[in-house]
Amino acid sequence: MMMLAVTINGHAHGPTEVRDDLTMNDFLREHLGMTGTKFGCGAAQCLSCAVIVDDPDGTSYTRPTCIVAATEFNGKAIRTVEGHAKDGQLSSLQKSFVEHFAFQCGYCTAGFLNEGQVLLERLAKAPVPRAELENTIAEAFDGHLCRCTGYIKYHQAVRDVVLAEAHRYLK
């Protein structure tokens, strides 16, 4: 048994004693009742289970949770799909996903949404030329798998958010 203290969507959890082999996915779902993070392939290959990890330096990245021990997240700040909406209002990215029906079965949506959010934050700090946008989005989503083949809709949803605020995300 090990102790786990983690901040999730701005709220501290723990320290809590957890099994050494407990995955973060299981911790989120079984211990906290946060079911938005899905268990997809169980091999960190589809990234349906990806959450956002916020580093102290202000950068963020996604990390799978299906095979990663919860204790690997000890002391970290993470965001899950449940953390995107604020005060009951969907984020602009969530709204764009809805407008594009960028979720067929919805299983992989949390991973794509988290990756899209990290991309928006990265572009806000380091905008890219408009000519590089399509490749930038494709590269960000590389590795994320959608069993329903909704890739185009996910891509379009992120692109529309970027273009709607081009002054913020593009050079």
Side-chain angles (χ1 to χ4, degrees):
M1 298 291 271
M2 295 184 73
M3 297 304 286
L4 172 65
V6 62
T7 300
I8 303 172
N9 301 327
H11 302 286
H13 296 273
T16 304
E17 193 171 46
V18 298
R19 295 184 335 264
D20 298 357
D21 64 343
L22 180 73
T23 66
M24 180 50 96
N25 193 282
D26 288 344
F27 179 75
L28 290 169
R29 298 177 66 77
E30 296 172 14
H31 290 260
L32 301 180
M34 300 177 80
T35 59
T37 302
K38 304 298 184 208
F39 181 90
C41 66
Q45 296 298 305
C46 73
L47 301 177
S48 293
C49 66
V51 297
I52 301 170
V53 179
D54 295 316
D55 278 340
D57 67 2
T59 61
S60 300
Y61 60 93
T62 59
R63 185 159 187 208
T65 61
C66 67
I67 63 169
V68 179
T71 55
E72 292 281 322
F73 292 86
N74 190 44
K76 300 211 181 281
I78 69 170
R79 287 179 277 162
T80 67
V81 69
E82 290 92 347
H84 288 271
K86 300 291 183 224
D87 300 321
Q89 299 296 312
L90 297 179
S91 70
S92 60
L93 186 57
Q94 287 175 305
K95 288 176 188 174
S96 188
F97 271 45
V98 170
E99 290 165 6
H100 284 280
F101 195 68
F103 50 86
Q104 195 157 338
C105 78
Y107 216 79
C108 64
T109 304
F112 275 98
L113 186 65
N114 287 334
E115 196 70 59
Q117 184 61 43
V118 167
L119 175 60
L120 292 176
E121 292 168 10
R122 189 182 74 199
L123 291 175
K125 293 177 183 173
V128 297
R130 170 67 177 96
E132 294 178 18
L133 179 59
E134 302 304 322
N135 283 338
T136 300
I137 296 169
E139 287 172 4
F141 284 158
D142 187 37
H144 286 265
L145 300 179
C146 174
R147 295 176 181 160
C148 303
T149 67
Y151 301 105
I152 293 171
K153 293 178 181 184
Y154 287 123
H155 188 104
Q156 290 171 334
V158 172
R159 182 184 60 224
D160 283 2
V161 171
V162 170
L163 294 177
E165 296 186 63
H167 65 280
R168 183 175 180 195
Y169 301 119
L170 300 175
K171 289 184 190 178

